[in-house]
Every structure is written in structure tokens, then in C-alpha cells.
Amino acid sequence: MAVLRAEGIAKSFGGQRIIEEISLELEEGELVSLLGVSGGGKTTLFNVLAGLSQPDAGRVYLDGAEITGKPGQVSYMLQKDLLLPYRTIVDNVALPLLVKGMKKSAARQKASAYFSRFGLEGTQRKYPAQLSGGMKQRAALLRTYLFSQRVALLDEPFSALDMLTKKEVHNWYLQVMEQIDLSTLFVTHDIDEAILLSDRIYLLTGRPGRVTKEIRIREPKPRAKDFSLSEQFLAYKREILGHLEESRGALGVK
């Protein structure tokens, strides 16, 4: 059984259909990417999956139980880290626990227990301005994890990082996912990032947006250091680019 499943999701705004008939699955322990052009409805879909927006049609299931329109069932991290500058890192990370009614001292203690695993040891009393971009993303990911420890929806979380920092955080995130039994649905516009991280990739194309292709990346994770230079990597990239260009052509987009 899929840990997260969407069936026939459709959503409109202002009388305009944004996404149509989207069905997808996330298996336990997987990282699945949702890849497509800007404005294709990926964030709209994530808002539905997170229960923040009610779909016009379709249903969302977590571990077989319907969660359509019910927020707080899965974790959701936006592109920016959104750390509060006036709070220490431990207090930023502990926010989900406080929202759930835990006392501050207990929330700090529980959050601190994960700092070493997330590579944040020693930053508890620092403020966001004192951390590098990569470290701030780690703190934001830990806060996301503490909100719901089963499934994470990540909307372009690494797009603001430079290439070397992004590569380091990629490897770290895959290791942490395995250690804490986390399943991840990941939005990105970066084809290379999707190939390097994903077990599967859904391509979202068209107006309204639909899942028009699913690609399984069969290389073991973490990928070999030279995988991005391999013919197999280029074959995946050509397949994705070819499908996206074909979809744009079918819409008459130049």
C-alpha cells in the first residue's frame, strides 16, 4: 500500500482549471519528484495534498485513510526556509511541537535530540542570521520533520543553494531519509536534481496540468559520484527534455 496516494485530483481558481485528473502514489521510503514547467500547477497540487486547499474533484489518502482537505497530516516545506530571525534555532525547530501544545522546555528537549542526526549540533542557541544557507535549510527540514514524521512535501527546498552546497545537502538528505524512515514528494524545476535524487519522477505538463509521464530511475542511491557524467544520466535527461518539448509543442507553445 502506498503511504500517500492521490486519485483524480482537479482544482480551479477563478473559473480556470489549474490541474486536472492527477493521480500519483508515494511508496514508503521513496523520494518521488514532480517535475514540470513553471505555472503547471505543482504548488496547487501540493496545497491539495497538504490539506490546505479543497480539490474540486478527487481524493487524497495517507496510509489508506482519506485526508482530503485535512491539514496537519503531512509535513510541507516551502522554497524559503521561513525561519524566524528573532528566535534561536532550537526554538525555530521546536515550533511544530509548541503548536501541538507541548510545553516549551519539553519541546526544546525533544527537538534538540535530533540536532546531531540533522548535522545541527552546536547551533541550538544561534540565530538564523548566524547560519549558512545549507545549515538554515537543515534546520527548516528538521522543523518540517517534527511537524509530521511520516511524509514530507518539499517545494523546491534547495533552489537557493549554490551548486556545491546543494550537492552536499542532497547527499545528506538521502542519508537522513533512510535513517528516519521518511518518504518524500519533491517539487523541482531542476532536471538534474530530479534525476540525481529520485526513485521516480512524475512529469506534469499542459494547461491544465496533468501527469503525462512517469519515469523510474533505476540507479542505486546514493548515485555514483560520476553518474551525472554517464550516458545513462544523459539518456534520462534526453527522455525528460523530449517529453517536455513534445508537450509544449502539442500546446502550440514556442
Side-chain angles (χ1 to χ4, degrees), residues 2-195:
V3 61
L4 182 69
R5 187 173 85 255
E7 295 182 352
I9 300 297
K11 182 66 179 178
S12 300
F13 288 105
Q16 180 180 359
R17 188 71 94 188
I18 306 300
I19 52 176
E20 179 76 28
E21 284 297 321
I22 291 181
S23 297
L24 53 80
E25 291 187 345
L26 176 66
E27 300 290 339
E28 188 170 1
E30 276 191 315
L31 190 151
V32 174
S33 288
L34 194 63
L35 180 66
V37 298
S38 297
K42 297 182 294 299
T43 298
T44 297
L45 175 61
F46 261 33
N47 286 335
V48 171
L49 296 177
L52 302 176
S53 180
Q54 185 74 32
D56 301 331
R59 296 288 183 268
V60 182
Y61 299 90
L62 179 67
D63 291 324
E66 186 178 348
I67 60 167
T68 312
K70 298 178 182 178
Q73 306 302 306
V74 298
S75 299
Y76 186 10
M77 178 176 164
L78 301 173
Q79 183 176 351
K80 296 181 180 180
D81 59 66
L82 299 178
L83 297 176
L84 300 174
Y86 53 85
R87 284 182 177 264
T88 62
I89 298 303
V90 70
D91 284 342
N92 265 287
V93 168
L95 275 174
L97 304 176
L98 296 174
V99 170
K100 293 177 182 180
M102 189 176 291
K103 291 184 178 179
K104 182 178 289 187
S105 59
R108 284 174 172 171
Q109 184 176 1
K110 182 172 181 177
S112 293
Y114 289 93
F115 268 60
S116 177
R117 182 175 290 181
F118 275 71
L120 291 165
E121 192 60 53
T123 68
Q124 285 91 329
R125 295 185 180 275
K126 292 185 178 181
Y127 289 86
Q130 297 175 281
L131 299 189
S132 67
M135 293 294 279
K136 284 191 282 191
Q137 288 303 96
R138 292 186 185 214
L141 285 163
L142 175 51
R143 181 182 60 190
T144 300
Y145 172 70
L146 290 177
F147 182 81
S148 175
Q149 300 178 3
R150 192 85 170 97
V151 172
L153 309 179
L154 306 184
D155 193 348
E156 295 195 84
F158 310 134
S159 61
L161 303 178
D162 63 78
M163 183 179 66
L164 293 178
T165 302
K166 184 183 288 191
K167 184 176 181 180
E168 176 187 342
V169 174
H170 283 171
N171 292 335
W172 163 80
Y173 186 71
L174 291 177
Q175 292 173 1
V176 168
M177 268 189 65
E178 184 175 357
Q179 291 171 4
I180 62 179
D181 298 322
L182 184 65
S183 306
T184 303
L185 191 60
F186 188 90
V187 160
T188 181
H189 290 96
D190 187 332
I191 294 174
D192 289 13
E193 181 173 61
I195 297 171

Side-chain angles (χ1 to χ4, degrees), residues 180-237:
I180 62 179
D181 298 322
L182 184 65
S183 306
T184 303
L185 191 60
F186 188 90
V187 160
T188 181
H189 290 96
D190 187 332
I191 294 174
D192 289 13
E193 181 173 61
I195 297 171
L196 290 170
L197 287 178
S198 305
D199 297 288
R200 291 182 293 117
I201 300 171
Y202 287 112
L203 299 185
L204 186 65
T205 62
R207 300 286 193 279
R210 295 180 174 88
V211 172
T212 52
K213 192 175 184 66
E214 177 186 345
I215 297 173
R216 184 175 295 276
I217 308 297
R218 301 189 181 279
E219 302 298 317
K221 293 192 303 183
R223 314 295 188 214
K225 290 183 179 180
D226 60 351
F227 174 59
S228 61
L229 302 175
S230 69
E231 179 55 39
Q232 185 59 56
F233 178 90
L234 293 175
Y236 284 124
K237 192 167 184 177

